[in-house]
Amino acid sequence: MERSTRQRTAIRQVIEAAGRPLSTQEILDASQVSVPGLGIATVYRNIKALLEAGEIDLVTLPGENPRYEQAHQKHHHHFQCTRCQRVFDVFSCPGSFKGMAPPGFEVERHELTLYGRCPDCA
Amino acid sequence: MERSTRQRTAIRQVIEAAGRPLSTQEILDASQVSVPGLGIATVYRNIKALLEAGEIDLVTLPGENPRYEQAHQKHHHHFQCTRCQRVFDVFSCPGSFKGMAPPGFEVERHELTLYGRCPDCA
DNA sequence: TTGTATGCAAAGCGTTTGCAGTGAT
DNA sequence: ATCACTGCAAACGCTTTGCATACAA
């Protein structure tokens, strides 16, 4: 990631402006507004570069294709709307869940996904 | 799902005997022990039939290919070993997580995945 | 000028489907 | 004898990669 191109700038700004995890298709569609002709391969290559640079985070929800969001520092979870399918950040967490697993299992970390209606769809 | 074939019987028994969610490849490998020549398409078709019949449940963990397990009645979660990658059932749950989402969001259900070392790998 | 970054098309990988042949009833 | 089921291969959707060209430095 050594050069600053129109494509990379557009992709970075789209993810930054979203405020929620976006799919590759959402990133492509939004980026093509400012860069018509942008190819999906370029989106994938830049996503990989931005991930490696630590600028964005991978968000993998159960049964969903990967999404990407601006890198957060703090631990958080996600909420998916069952109507519009969009994903939102949730910055609260019930705890570590150590002791929830049966004896002999050592819990190191956890992933929590909430499902329901977002404010727009409620 | 009207006929009882060697293939279907083998697949059903493999899932039943596992006691944990299996991937399609694990199901194929284990089923081929008793039914050599079994094709992957048959595994997929039977998985779909068993799902529709309610005999097995779909388990989708973040970033993982689908797994399948014998249908449980009770609410539960999953634990994935970070070393052997296997997935185990966890029959405890901290609660409903309602109120964890920001105002305006209505939580209907949740998915929780724990990660760490299983007894074999600890 | 140099070589990274891009666009296109082909290739990969897991999953689904079409089709002719197999086998449970 | 039927026709649901199977195996094989082609098709699919998403992601990655090869290659020639474009453009940032």
Side-chain angles (χ1 to χ4, degrees):
Chain A
M1 216 167 62
E2 308 179 356
R3 292 180 187 179
S4 173
T5 63
R6 289 177 308 127
Q7 292 85 341
R8 177 163 300 156
T9 301
I11 291 168
R12 190 187 269 120
Q13 287 183 346
V14 161
I15 296 173
E16 193 175 326
R20 59 181 179 84
L22 300 181
S23 66
T24 52
Q25 195 57 50
E26 287 177 310
I27 294 170
L28 177 65
D29 293 344
S31 300
Q32 283 181 333
V33 171
S34 50
V35 184
L38 174 63
I40 187 68
T42 297
V43 172
Y44 280 108
R45 278 189 282 238
N46 275 288
I47 285 173
K48 176 180 281 188
L50 291 169
L51 277 175
E52 289 172 355
E55 290 191 41
I56 63 176
D57 287 334
L58 168 64
V59 177
T60 49
L61 300 196
E64 297 279 305
N65 289 332
R67 287 177 169 79
Y68 305 89
E69 67 180 342
Q70 199 170 8
H72 291 304
Q73 48 288 47
K74 46 178 182 271
H75 176 74
H76 67 287
H77 295 296
H78 296 96
F79 177 105
Q80 182 170 37
C81 180
T82 54
R83 184 164 173 270
C84 69
Q85 314 304 324
R86 290 186 301 174
V87 175
F88 303 87
D89 291 329
V90 175
F91 289 99
S92 63
C93 178
S96 74
F97 300 106
K98 294 193 201 314
M100 214 190 102
F105 288 83
E106 298 174 5
V107 177
E108 296 169 348
R109 61 186 195 85
H110 64 271
E111 292 288 340
L112 175 61
T113 309
L114 303 179
Y115 298 90
R117 289 299 180 92
C118 74
D120 290 350
C121 294
Chain B
M1 216 167 64
E2 309 180 356
R3 294 180 187 178
S4 173
T5 64
R6 290 178 307 130
Q7 291 85 342
R8 178 164 299 153
T9 300
I11 291 168
R12 190 187 268 122
Q13 288 184 345
V14 162
I15 296 174
E16 193 175 325
R20 60 181 179 83
L22 299 181
S23 65
T24 52
Q25 195 57 50
E26 288 177 310
I27 295 171
L28 177 66
D29 293 345
S31 300
Q32 283 181 334
V33 172
S34 50
V35 184
L38 174 64
I40 187 67
T42 296
V43 171
Y44 279 108
R45 278 188 283 236
N46 275 287
I47 285 172
K48 177 179 278 187
L50 291 169
L51 277 174
E52 289 171 355
E55 290 191 41
I56 62 175
D57 287 334
L58 168 66
V59 177
T60 49
L61 299 195
E64 296 280 306
N65 289 332
R67 288 177 171 79
Y68 305 88
E69 66 180 344
Q70 200 170 4
H72 291 304
Q73 49 288 48
K74 43 178 185 269
H75 177 75
H76 66 286
H77 295 296
H78 295 97
F79 177 105
Q80 182 170 36
C81 179
T82 53
R83 183 162 173 272
C84 69
Q85 314 305 323
R86 289 185 302 173
V87 175
F88 302 87
D89 291 328
V90 175
F91 289 99
S92 64
C93 178
S96 74
F97 300 106
K98 294 193 201 313
M100 214 190 103
F105 288 82
E106 298 175 4
V107 178
E108 296 169 350
R109 59 186 195 86
H110 64 271
E111 293 288 340
L112 175 61
T113 309
L114 304 180
Y115 298 91
R117 290 299 181 91
C118 73
D120 288 352
C121 296

